[in-house]
Amino acid sequence: MNKLLEGKKGLVIGIANDHSIAWGITDNLCKEGAQVFLTYQNDSLKKRVEPLSQKIDCLGVFPCDVESTESIEALKNSINTKIDFIVHAVAYSDKNELSGKYLNTSKENFLKTLHISSFSLTEITKIFMPLLNDNASIMALSYYGAKKYMQSYNVMGVAKAALETSIKYLAVDMGDRGIRVNGISAGPMRTLAGAVINKSRQIYSYTINNSPIKKALTLDDIGKSAVYLVSDLSKGVTGEILYVDNGYNKIGMSLEEV
Ligand code: NAD
């Protein structure tokens, strides 16, 4: 049987280790025949990303700090070949501001969080435009804290709201070339970034107990939805946020709470 992504090449930004959502996505994209370029944020993460790159059909591993325009441009120059998809799975905020009140967010951390977690999608899309094939697919990772108050998510919720709105505007700007821009809003996962959120373990258990599908979400669950978004199966889908959260966002109040 033909693989869904045979012949497609792309870029995945955001692998820190084998628990990263970006790794779950990469693994599934490659199982469907895709070839990928990977990035690492800094030298300590390079040691984790390089061994993972050897398990898949990897075209190259390059540094990229999305806070730096020069770094994104250098990545584009290193890749210098046409690609069919970009996966943005990057977020950062000061841990100290992912607990307590949102009211206490500092200006410095607000701007840094929004720069790395939201604006970078727009800048990466713009810089990579010349390398993107027509009908390419771009996706970014979001969380339900973009839509509703979620305890401790604070400024990251504001950044994800900006990210989700950027997805809609970018979908329009890229649509004339058939390039699609979508988001996956994933349920809470035990990753490095996830663990930074205050009381992440309790949020994780709460979500499982209050979702229609009462089980832990896996990297594979998210990866398979990413295959759909990169593949032609979703060729009429753009500007969309796909909830891959075992249905958590569909429950207002669970029966147990009434
Ligand atoms: P992770 O820690 O494995 O990945 C986060 C990645 O962001 C890391 O690879 C890190 O190197 C990268 N990053 C941070 N600052 C960067 C910078 N300046 N330049 C380049 N890379 C940078 O955690 P994850 O949970 O897999 O996060 C991936 C994405 O999924 C993020 O956007 C996150 O907000 C989102 N997400 C996570 C959860 C969760 O519960 N873990 C839920 C929904 C959405």
Side-chain angles (χ1 to χ4, degrees):
M1 208 170 77
N2 280 351
K3 291 183 171 176
L4 277 170
L5 305 179
E6 207 76 68
K8 288 195 191 287
K9 292 180 189 165
L11 165 64
V12 179
I13 305 177
I15 298 182
N17 56 37
D18 62 351
H19 296 290
S20 294
I21 292 175
W23 172 245
I25 290 176
T26 301
D27 191 35
N28 275 278
L29 297 181
C30 291
K31 280 179 181 150
E32 286 296 339
Q35 295 177 295
V36 294
F37 293 96
L38 302 182
T39 69
Y40 54 89
Q41 184 189 351
N42 52 42
D43 282 344
S44 66
L45 293 178
K46 180 181 183 183
K47 292 186 208 106
R48 299 196 179 267
V49 177
E50 279 188 337
L52 290 174
S53 73
Q54 285 157 18
K55 298 184 173 183
I56 51 160
D57 197 348
C58 183
L59 297 165
V61 186
F62 303 107
C64 183
D65 182 337
V66 302
E67 205 178 359
S68 151
T69 304
E70 295 72 35
S71 179
I72 301 171
E73 272 165 354
L75 175 66
K76 182 201 131 200
N77 293 335
S78 301
I79 291 179
N80 197 26
T81 187
K82 290 281 186 177
I83 56 173
D84 305 290
F85 61 88
I86 298 176
V87 177
H88 175 289
V90 173
Y92 170 83
S93 188
D94 182 343
K95 182 181 191 307
N96 296 321
E97 299 195 4
L98 296 175
S99 63
K101 290 181 192 278
Y102 167 71
L103 187 66
N104 296 326
T105 307
S106 64
K107 180 158 82 173
E108 190 193 6
N109 185 49
F110 184 99
L111 295 175
K112 194 174 169 88
T113 303
L114 271 279
H115 184 173
I116 295 174
S117 316
S118 306
F119 176 69
S120 63
L121 175 70
T122 302
E123 188 164 46
I124 290 164
T125 302
K126 187 169 182 192
I127 290 175
F128 273 84
M129 262 194 12
L131 293 190
L132 287 171
N133 278 323
D134 287 353
N135 306 321
S137 171
I138 299 172
M139 86 182 71
L141 270 296
S142 192
Y143 180 58
Y144 193 48
K147 293 280 180 221
K148 295 263 171 80
Y149 169 89
M150 296 292 280
Q151 185 180 300
S152 304
Y153 206 55
N154 294 353
V155 64
M156 191 56 81
V158 177
K160 292 300 190 193
L163 181 75
E164 292 191 6
T165 307
S166 303
I167 285 169
K168 294 183 179 63
Y169 279 81
L170 290 171
V172 174
D173 290 352
M174 306 298 285
D176 56 350
R177 290 180 50 203
I179 296 173
R180 302 179 292 107
V181 188
N182 292 293
I184 287 182
S185 182
M189 301 292 294
R190 290 187 167 157
T191 63
L192 283 181
V196 167
I197 316 285
N198 184 42
K199 295 195 177 163
S200 58
R201 279 173 175 271
Q202 287 96 317
I203 294 169
Y204 185 74
S205 308
Y206 182 90
T207 313
I208 295 173
N209 293 332
N210 291 280
S211 299
I213 300 173
K214 289 191 167 35
K215 69 176 186 64
L217 194 70
T218 65
L219 290 180
D220 214 41
D221 296 334
I222 303 172
K224 287 192 162 41
S225 290
V227 169
Y228 162 73
L229 284 181
V230 169
S231 79
D232 294 346
L233 292 178
S234 61
K235 73 187 175 73
V237 178
T238 194
E240 191 63 76
I241 305 298
L242 190 62
Y243 284 87
V244 185
D245 62 355
N246 282 335
Y248 173 73
N249 74 92
K250 296 292 183 291
I251 291 195
M253 185 181 274
S254 66
L255 283 174
E256 294 91 89
E257 284 178 293
V258 178

